[in-house]
């Protein structure tokens, strides 16, 4: 089974379950506070982040292999039809069947990343300072975003990663970059095309 088998349900940049509420109030869009985001052709910024068991993963140690970096606001958020769970599940086959290294990255603690890895089957890393998230896809006031949807109360000020996906080639150059809001998801077929796997010609 190739990675393409999962792409049918995630083929377009789907929106998560929060979409209806987002459309009701555009103020949540102002929660974005992006300062930086890599572009195709850029050299990938190196990082050393902790994951399960506080084990450190260095990007430089993965040179020579293609890598998919999946950035998300928070673990255990969303569901199978939208949000962070959906985002990572769409990449499971790319990691397991096609053998591409996939790393999930968000602000949550290494303790949480260990439990999240067990659920998703993908290595997940803690970027507590948000420096790596900022460099790759930017950050947003996730608390303000949720407050604006009447999901949370007085949560403004809680910063998190924007949702995003970055694909690196064997030389750690950026060959695909996408970032969006928490209620958006990247196009899995675009990720597959960047990796050179799956069906990309629908003619």
């Amino acid at each position: 089974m190739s990675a393409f088998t999962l792409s049918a349900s995630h083929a377009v940049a789907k929106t998560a379950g929060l979409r209806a509420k987002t459309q009701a109030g555009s103020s949540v869009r102002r929660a974005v506070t992006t300062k930086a985001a890599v572009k195709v052709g850029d050299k990938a910024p190196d990082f050393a982040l902790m994951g399960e068991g506080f084990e450190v993963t260095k990007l430089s140690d993965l040179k020579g292999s293609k890598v998919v970096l999946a950035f998300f606001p928070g673990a255990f958020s969303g569901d199978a039809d939208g949000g962070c769970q959906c985002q990572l599940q769409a990449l499971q086959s790319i990691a397991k069947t096609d053998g591409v290294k996939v790393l999930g990255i968000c602000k949550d603690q290494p303790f949480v990343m260990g439990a999240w890895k067990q659920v998703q089957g993908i290595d997940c890393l803690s970027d507590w300072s948000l420096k790596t998230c900022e460099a790759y896809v930017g950050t947003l006031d996730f608390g303000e975003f949720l407050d604006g949807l009447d999901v949370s109360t007085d949560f403004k000020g809680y910063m998190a990663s924007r949702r995003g996906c970055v694909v690196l080639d064997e030389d750690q150059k950026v060959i695909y970059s996408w970032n969006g809001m928490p209620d958006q998801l990247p196009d899995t077929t675009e990720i597959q095309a960047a990796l050179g796997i799956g069906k990309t010609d629908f003619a």
Side-chain angles (χ1 to χ4, degrees), residues 51 53-54 108-116:
F54 289 84
D108 290 325
Q109 301 174 37
F111 298 109
V112 178
M113 293 295 92
W116 190 229

Side-chain angles (χ1 to χ4, degrees), residues 24 44 48 72 76 78 84 87 94 97 109 123 152 184 188 191 195:
F72 53 96
F76 297 99
C84 302
Q87 179 186 5
I94 291 176
T97 304
Q109 301 174 37
D123 288 336
S152 59
Q184 298 173 310
T188 308
I191 299 169
L195 292 167

Side-chain angles (χ1 to χ4, degrees), residues 65-86:
S65 302
K66 291 181 180 178
V67 178
V68 176
L69 304 176
F71 295 87
F72 53 96
F76 297 99
S77 62
D79 52 36
D81 295 319
C84 302
Q85 181 175 340
C86 183

Side-chain angles (χ1 to χ4, degrees), residues 10 18 36 39 60 71 115 154 164 170 177 181:
H10 307 290
L18 297 175
K39 303 179 297 297
S60 56
F71 295 87
D154 295 330
E170 294 86 348
S177 179
M181 292 294 287

Side-chain angles (χ1 to χ4, degrees), residues 26-44:
S26 60
S27 63
V28 294
R29 296 293 177 185
R30 294 198 295 271
V32 180
T33 57
T34 303
K35 296 180 180 178
V38 295
K39 303 179 297 297
V40 171
D42 287 351
K43 178 69 175 177

Side-chain angles (χ1 to χ4, degrees), residues 127-149:
D127 181 22
W128 182 249
S129 70
L130 289 176
K131 290 180 180 178
T132 299
C133 297
E134 191 71 74
Y136 276 89
V137 298
T139 58
L140 82 160
D141 190 328
F142 193 39
E144 182 179 358
F145 179 86
L146 294 176
D147 282 352
L149 299 177

Side-chain angles (χ1 to χ4, degrees), residues 16 27 56 59 74-75 141 165 179 186:
S27 63
V56 174
L59 180 63
D141 190 328
C165 185
N179 67 78

